[in-house]
Amino acid sequence: MGYRRYSYLGLPVLVVMLLVLAHAGVAAAVRDHQARSCVNLAALRLADTTITGATVVPATRSAPAHCTVRLTVTNPPATDLITVAVWLPAGNWNGRFQGLGGSGFTGGLRTDTPDAELRAGYAVATTDTGHPGDSGSFALGAGGAQRVTDFGHLGIHRMTVAAKAVVSAYYGRTTFRSYFSGCSTGGRQGLMEAQRYPADYDGIAAASPAINWTKFHPAQLWGQLQMLISGHRVAPCVLTAATDAAIAACDPADGLTDGIIGDWEGCRFDARTLIGTVTPCGAVTAADARLINAIWDGPRDSNGARLWYGLERDASLGPLHDTEPFFITVEWLRYFVAQNPGWDWRTLTYDRYLRLFDQSVQRYRDVLATDDPDLSAFRDAGGKVVIWHGTADPVVMFRGSVDYHRRLTNAMGGADRTAAFARFFVAPGVAHCGGGQGATPTAVLDAVVRWVESGDAPTHLRGERTDSAGRTLLTRPVCPYPQVAMLTGRGPVTDQRSFTCAGTPTGTPAERARNPR
């Protein structure tokens, strides 16, 4: 009886103990195997690639255990050196690889750990695209042309090929999904991948993309040029007053007064209506109004033809038009176009500006413009891309993305065929990569993943505005162009469920084409 009691009560306990010990042993064996696999990556042989380090990193409060790999890539016979960092989650890999983009003149190499991406289970890679730091001076000197090519497109591609080989070697899998995510320069890099290397990624999330690079950079200097030529500088508080007045005038047109211009295509506020208005730095003058209207309109040649777009009425005018021009603008013209480290923007005349604008476009169209609308190879490879841009972007002209989407739609056979693989979402009132009065799109890469893996194409993105403490102030659907978020009349205006994506902006397509401003 005692034996039976022991067998009945003790055996399950013994089994559980054995299972726990076995699980612990298996887990330890897995950790040991992954550690050996990580260290062994140092011996991995890849073409024109050197593995400079492979390190096992234990779990922390912010990131799971992972393997970090550093490598360099060259492009013989050039003497360039592209640095790449790869992070490989040890125990929670989701079967996906994610390339991350850069900003400004930086390729995107991370010195910190991409905690959020690792927690989500992604294998991650970043690169300096062949040059350190955030200065555009890498375009000068011996090897400058190759470094420009690396920054323009080759660096991200070489990172992707090498990183995917590392992922395959570490996990022992030759097939897995690959995604790219980036904003600004990172958005441009993602779209360049779709244009030049369509098989690199299954899905791309491109935010506030710095596409049309060769046009919008000289366009950023247009307002400063106008002030230089006229000998009149618009005071910062007058610039702010103009933006505030434009928002106040155009905001109600969408049916809701909330500090957000929903009907951005219908907003044509004229700064001349402000002449005489008193601001903290004096009354608005006719010269102020003329210059502000020129900034909103954008650069034109001597015949009045549009060279590029200006900023939207809800975008802050400060970043490009304060005392000094935007530093990236100056460095682009100084190091890339003029090829002269001593070049001074204050020496510009209107004619010199037009020549520099043309040189920027002609010299770097192929390597950096990122404006090719033919994504047929990316489409045919099964790729999906989501692009979003905020109307209140103060540095990268929002209309450039609208222009690209229209050309993409024409090249790909119309709206329906384009929407089958590429969708463009407009975020009213959102600044560069986020911020502003509008609702910034969230979980964009998640939407791309669902589209690629489940065929669930996004009908809208969830937008959110938060305060400095991270508390949600409002949510709103961010709609695919040309739809806009329309209030249904039910529920609070701070809740996205009170809105629906429908309708089109003011005017017919033909009318908007005739009068894009």
Side-chain angles (χ1 to χ4, degrees):
M1 187 70 177
Y3 173 76
R4 288 183 179 179
R5 185 178 295 112
Y6 173 81
S7 300
Y8 181 76
L9 297 177
L11 188 58
V13 175
L14 181 62
V15 169
V16 170
M17 291 176 63
L18 290 172
L19 288 174
V20 169
L21 290 172
H23 178 76
V26 169
V30 168
R31 288 195 298 270
D32 181 63
H33 170 72
Q34 289 172 334
R36 289 199 309 272
S37 297
C38 181
V39 173
N40 289 341
L41 288 175
L44 186 63
R45 296 290 179 263
L46 302 172
D48 304 320
T49 302
T50 301
I51 308 291
T52 59
T55 307
V56 177
V57 181
T60 65
R61 289 185 177 182
S62 58
H66 59 277
C67 173
T68 300
V69 181
R70 300 277 292 196
L71 52 94
T72 56
V73 183
T74 61
N75 296 286
T79 58
D80 59 333
L81 196 67
I82 299 169
T83 301
V84 176
V86 185
W87 293 265
L88 307 157
N92 66 318
W93 186 44
N94 61 15
R96 304 181 182 108
F97 162 69
Q98 183 180 171
L100 297 178
S103 63
F105 285 123
T106 62
L109 185 66
R110 294 275 291 267
T111 56
D112 62 330
T113 301
D115 295 340
E117 289 79 9
L118 288 174
R119 288 196 302 269
Y122 284 95
V124 183
T126 65
T127 177
D128 66 356
T129 61
H131 69 277
D134 60 0
S135 171
S137 59
F138 66 86
L140 298 177
Q146 181 62 48
R147 289 190 293 272
V148 170
T149 298
D150 291 342
F151 174 68
H153 60 87
L154 192 56
I156 291 292
H157 173 61
R158 293 304 303 271
M159 172 200 81
T160 303
V161 172
K164 288 166 80 170
V166 170
V167 170
S168 181
Y170 183 70
Y171 295 111
R173 284 177 52 175
T174 57
T175 58
F176 45 86
R177 293 293 190 182
S178 297
Y179 297 93
F180 189 90
S181 179
C183 186
S184 192
T185 285
R188 184 195 67 78
Q189 289 166 331
L191 287 170
M192 184 64 96
E193 280 289 297
Q195 293 170 19
R196 276 187 175 265
Y197 308 103
D200 277 0
Y201 290 97
D202 299 295
I204 295 168
S208 306
I211 56 176
N212 310 294
W213 180 282
T214 60
K215 293 180 180 179
F216 86 77
H217 274 306
Q220 289 174 326
L221 197 62
W222 174 249
Q224 293 281 1
L225 174 71
Q226 293 301 307
M227 288 189 281
L228 178 68
I229 292 173
S230 68
H232 178 79
R233 176 161 291 278
V234 183
C237 71
V238 172
L239 294 173
T240 301
T243 301
D244 292 345
I247 293 173
C250 295
D251 176 12
D254 59 11
L256 178 65
T257 301
D258 57 357
I260 302 170
I261 301 177
D263 183 18
W264 51 271
E265 287 200 280
C267 183
R268 295 180 176 84
F269 179 78
D270 190 331
R272 289 175 296 182
T273 62
L274 296 177
I275 294 174
T277 300
V278 177
T279 75
C281 46
V284 178
T285 67
D288 290 332
R290 183 187 64 78
L291 288 166
I292 291 169
N293 279 340
I295 290 170
W296 283 334
D297 183 54
R300 292 182 181 271
D301 67 15
S302 57
N303 294 318
R306 179 177 301 284
L307 294 173
W308 200 237
Y309 302 95
L311 296 175
E312 295 305 299
R313 301 303 201 271
D314 57 350
S316 170
L317 301 180
L320 297 185
H321 305 98
D322 281 342
T323 305
E324 292 293 324
F326 194 43
F327 80 98
I328 294 178
T329 309
V330 174
E331 292 200 354
W332 170 254
L333 295 172
R334 175 179 292 152
Y335 297 127
F336 286 75
V337 183
Q339 292 274 299
N340 177 7
W343 179 81
D344 185 348
W345 72 273
R346 296 175 186 83
T347 64
L348 274 178
T349 64
Y350 179 61
D351 288 339
R352 288 174 183 168
Y353 174 81
L354 294 180
R355 287 196 295 272
L356 282 175
F357 200 112
D358 185 64
Q359 289 169 9
S360 175
V361 173
Q362 299 302 325
R363 185 178 299 169
Y364 295 101
R365 175 190 288 124
D366 293 337
V367 70
L368 261 169
T370 321
D371 59 358
D372 184 356
D374 184 0
L375 298 187
S376 56
F378 179 72
R379 175 200 63 199
D380 295 346
K384 302 289 188 289
V385 58
V386 166
I387 306 166
W388 75 263
H389 206 149
T391 62
D393 193 322
V395 289
V396 178
M397 289 72 181
F398 159 75
R399 299 261 175 167
S401 287
V402 178
D403 178 271
Y404 179 75
H405 177 73
R406 288 172 175 167
R407 292 188 297 110
L408 173 67
T409 299
N410 290 334
M412 294 295 97
D416 291 343
R417 290 184 178 182
T418 303
F421 78 97
R423 299 195 176 189
F424 171 52
F425 296 83
V426 172
V430 175
H432 190 60
C433 297
Q437 289 298 304
T440 301
T442 60
V444 180
L445 185 64
D446 292 342
V448 174
V449 170
R450 288 193 298 271
W451 195 4
V452 169
E453 298 181 12
S454 303
D456 183 13
T459 57
H460 69 278
L461 302 175
R462 183 184 187 275
E464 183 177 88
R465 189 176 86 213
T466 60
D467 62 16
S468 58
R471 294 183 291 263
T472 299
L473 300 177
L474 67 82
T475 60
R476 191 159 295 180
V478 178
C479 303
Y481 180 77
Q483 293 183 355
V484 294
M486 301 184 69
L487 191 62
T488 62
R490 298 183 300 274
V493 297
T494 56
D495 191 332
Q496 67 166 354
R497 290 170 295 186
S498 304
F499 294 81
T500 185
C501 290
T504 60
T506 302
T508 66
E511 290 169 342
R512 293 196 299 270
R514 287 195 300 269
N515 187 7
R517 297 302 302 171

